[in-house]
Amino acid sequence: MDVILAAVGDAFTWQALLAIVIGTWAGIIIGGLPGLGSVVGLTIFLPFTFGMDVITSMALLIGVYCGSVYGGSITAILINTPGTPQSAATVFDGYPMTQQGRVDEALGWATFASFFGGVLSCVLLIFCAPQLAKFAVNFGSIEVFALVCLAMLCIVGISRGSLLKGLVCGMMGFFFSMVGSDPITGADRFTFGTYALSSGLDLIPVVVGAFALSEVFVRFSARDEEATTIPEARLRFPSLREIGRRLVELLRGSFIGSFVGALPGTGAAAAAFISYAAAQKLSPRRANLGKGEPDGIIASESSNNAVTGSAFIPTLALGIPGDVVTAMMMGAMVIHGITPGVRLMADQAQTVYTLFVVLIIVNVAMLILSKPSIGLFRYLFKLPLGFVMGGIVMFSFIGAVSVRGNPLDLVVAALTGILAYVLRRSGYPLAPLVIGMVLGPALESSLRRGLLISRGDFLSFFTHSGIATTLFVLIGLFLIWTIVGGVIEWRAKVIRTRREASSAQPASEQGIMHDHH
């Protein structure tokens, strides 16, 4: 208890609180600018921490990290452009709500779900970090493969009415993820002899092109005024009654994000899609998902923000960073004298608990700063449409090239934008393309490593462990449920069509047929 009280005292110094406010607000703005995001934000602020003490520097970086993950949802809802890849799933229901004039409700749910998921993951981090770290170790390549396969099935759910087109886009995204070096052998694939392609296609240029640039093309080519205007954005938090109705969705998304975040090598984008796939089967309002249903926003935002806390579990307890962002955070810790690993809790318990408290304060600061941040975006979007769209294009290209410094990413973003515009005009959904791109690397690498472990015997995947068997059973149930539901829906449609044809038949013809009989 003395350690926890000392940690609270360290976290509530004026230096740490000032760093939290600056970092969180800057993170929200950076996350909301298309193409930038967590990695760019941490890269910008990391040099400023070298003259700070440990707690203040980590408070600044944690604020940027958590704020940027939430900030991506603002533009995802307002202009169909996720500021970060972590918010790609928020587009599915956030932007339809904006088109329906429910932008205030959408922003309110995104903000509250982000806060809820972030705080719950912090609580789990404080009380369950050692246990979750031990359980996460049980997830080897085969278990991760089964988990990613389960997430990939959400392509079926978001491709209703155009399943074939959705599968085509999903395979297209999976192909994009295979460009570059083979994850096992290191051999170049689909590079066409171009050295610049040997490092592969980065996710951010593809997401920027698919959503931001294609949205710009669509808005400028649209003839109706509604499609070429940006809505007046305000923030309306859900009432206690509304929260109570959707509490199960908030808890499910937060627990999924907390669990997936504790697995090394997954990340917030994968957690959002896994949570959205779960909502497609478990939400009582699942029929409305993809059409402007708050449950879709809750599933995405509660899970991706829950990852911000649970991602520190493998980083702190095992010294294994879960993704690029936590790798940068781990590097900053080492620079400031914190050595992640199994001895960290024993050797530097007060520092660890201080970081936990800082995480909770950051999520509270994010909730408070959400309103002025959205007000800033509202002011920016009052500018003439041409200036707004021009700014989106500029920041999209800056974000596309700033992560790796590879000029080819500019070309990738532009070509993906053109391709996405053509796909949208042809009725192809873009979400499966991004899902394939996000989950493709994890799916391929875990499959290849699993085959090495099993010596090429794929059937042994199903009995490799209890976790793997359970996940594969869930996949089978999902497929059976989908097929049976599709057949029932098809039969109902046929019966309805026959009844409509029968009722539309002229009364005279019906009389003639009756006399004939």
Side-chain angles (χ1 to χ4, degrees):
M1 182 60 69
D2 292 338
V3 174
I4 296 177
L5 291 176
V8 172
D10 290 342
F12 276 90
T13 61
W14 70 268
Q15 296 96 330
L17 293 176
L18 180 62
I20 288 173
V21 171
I22 294 173
T24 305
W25 203 353
I28 293 174
I29 303 303
I30 291 172
L33 297 175
L36 300 184
S38 306
V39 175
V40 175
L42 291 173
T43 303
I44 293 172
F45 280 89
L46 184 59
F48 293 101
T49 66
F50 292 153
M52 302 178 183
D53 62 77
V54 175
I55 302 303
T56 305
S57 61
M58 295 309 301
L60 179 67
L61 296 177
I62 291 173
V64 172
Y65 175 31
C66 297
S68 62
V69 173
Y70 160 68
S73 67
I74 298 175
T75 47
I77 292 170
L78 290 179
I79 58 174
N80 197 31
T81 303
T84 60
Q86 295 97 320
S87 298
T90 308
V91 172
F92 303 160
D93 289 276
Y95 188 63
M97 290 182 70
T98 297
Q99 292 176 312
Q100 297 164 12
R102 302 160 60 198
V103 61
D104 302 357
E105 181 186 356
L107 289 170
W109 275 115
T111 304
F112 183 79
S114 299
F115 166 75
F116 188 93
V119 170
L120 184 61
S121 72
C122 293
V123 174
L124 292 175
L125 181 64
I126 292 172
F127 292 103
C128 307
Q131 291 78 10
L132 283 173
K134 291 178 182 177
F135 183 66
V137 174
N138 295 324
F139 267 72
S141 298
I142 295 175
E143 288 79 8
V144 171
F145 171 74
L147 184 65
V148 175
C149 284
L150 186 62
M152 289 286 280
L153 291 176
C154 70
I155 291 177
V156 177
I158 62 176
S159 303
R160 292 171 184 164
S162 56
L163 180 58
L164 183 60
K165 291 182 177 180
L167 292 176
V168 168
C169 287
M171 292 303 297
M172 197 180 299
F174 185 67
F175 170 74
F176 288 166
S177 72
M178 295 178 67
V179 174
S181 300
D182 186 291
I184 304 299
T185 65
D188 287 343
R189 304 179 303 182
F190 309 112
T191 60
F192 307 102
T194 304
Y195 176 74
L197 281 174
S198 61
S199 58
L201 301 181
D202 192 66
L203 175 63
I204 290 180
V206 174
V207 170
V208 162
F211 288 105
L213 297 182
S214 71
E215 184 66 22
V216 171
F217 298 152
V218 167
R219 286 181 179 273
F220 277 127
S221 64
R223 296 180 180 179
D224 56 308
E225 186 64 24
E226 182 182 357
T228 58
T229 56
I230 297 174
E232 183 80 9
R234 286 185 172 83
L235 181 65
R236 182 180 72 81
F237 287 114
S239 64
L240 290 176
R241 184 178 179 181
E242 291 173 323
I243 294 171
R245 285 182 59 213
R246 290 184 163 89
L247 183 61
V248 174
E249 314 303 317
L250 286 162
L251 289 171
R252 182 172 61 243
S254 301
F255 279 117
I256 289 175
S258 299
F259 171 69
V260 174
L263 303 177
T266 48
F273 286 119
I274 292 171
S275 179
Y276 195 88
Q280 287 176 329
K281 289 302 173 187
L282 300 176
S283 169
R285 294 161 288 273
R286 54 185 174 272
N288 296 324
L289 283 177
K291 304 174 184 177
E293 170 56 49
D295 284 359
I297 297 177
I298 292 170
S300 172
E301 289 301 311
S302 61
S303 59
N304 65 22
N305 280 269
V307 170
T308 59
S310 62
F312 283 95
I313 293 174
T315 304
L316 295 176
L318 304 175
I320 303 173
D323 54 14
V324 177
V325 177
T326 49
M328 292 187 66
M329 297 290 290
M330 182 175 170
M333 292 177 190
V334 173
I335 291 172
H336 290 89
I338 303 176
T339 306
V342 292
R343 293 291 307 168
L344 181 62
M345 285 294 294
D347 297 341
Q348 296 176 286
Q350 183 173 326
T351 301
V352 173
Y353 279 109
T354 304
L355 295 180
F356 295 166
V357 177
V358 165
L359 269 167
I360 295 176
I361 299 173
V362 163
N363 281 280
V364 175
M366 183 179 68
L367 186 70
I368 296 171
L369 294 171
S370 59
K371 201 158 192 173
S373 301
I374 291 173
L376 177 61
F377 281 102
R378 185 172 72 242
Y379 172 77
L380 292 175
F381 291 152
K382 284 183 178 179
L383 297 172
L385 183 68
F387 290 108
V388 175
M389 293 294 108
I392 290 173
V393 172
M394 181 184 70
F395 281 110
S396 296
F397 280 124
I398 292 174
V401 77
S402 60
V403 177
R404 301 192 300 178
N406 188 348
L408 181 67
D409 289 339
L410 294 174
V411 179
V412 171
L415 293 178
T416 305
I418 296 171
L419 173 64
Y421 172 74
V422 174
L423 290 174
R424 289 176 66 171
R425 284 300 188 188
S426 304
Y428 284 79
L430 294 183
L433 187 147
V434 179
I435 293 172
M437 183 74 182
V438 170
L439 301 179
L443 182 72
E444 183 192 6
S445 60
S446 59
L447 173 62
R448 299 277 297 279
R449 292 191 183 99
L451 289 173
L452 290 174
I453 293 171
S454 64
R455 298 183 179 180
D457 183 11
F458 181 74
L459 293 178
S460 66
F461 279 35
F462 300 99
T463 57
H464 178 74
S465 66
I467 297 174
T469 302
T470 302
L471 290 173
F472 282 120
V473 167
L474 289 175
I475 292 171
L477 292 175
F478 182 99
L479 292 174
I480 294 172
W481 191 347
T482 301
I483 293 170
V484 172
V487 171
I488 293 173
E489 185 177 347
W490 174 76
R491 289 190 62 186
K493 186 177 179 180
V494 170
I495 293 172
R496 186 168 59 250
T497 303
R498 288 177 179 174
R499 286 177 178 174
E500 291 174 354
S502 176
S503 61
Q505 192 175 22
S508 59
E509 292 185 13
Q510 293 182 9
I512 292 172
M513 292 177 65
H514 180 72
D515 293 340
H516 177 72
H517 285 296

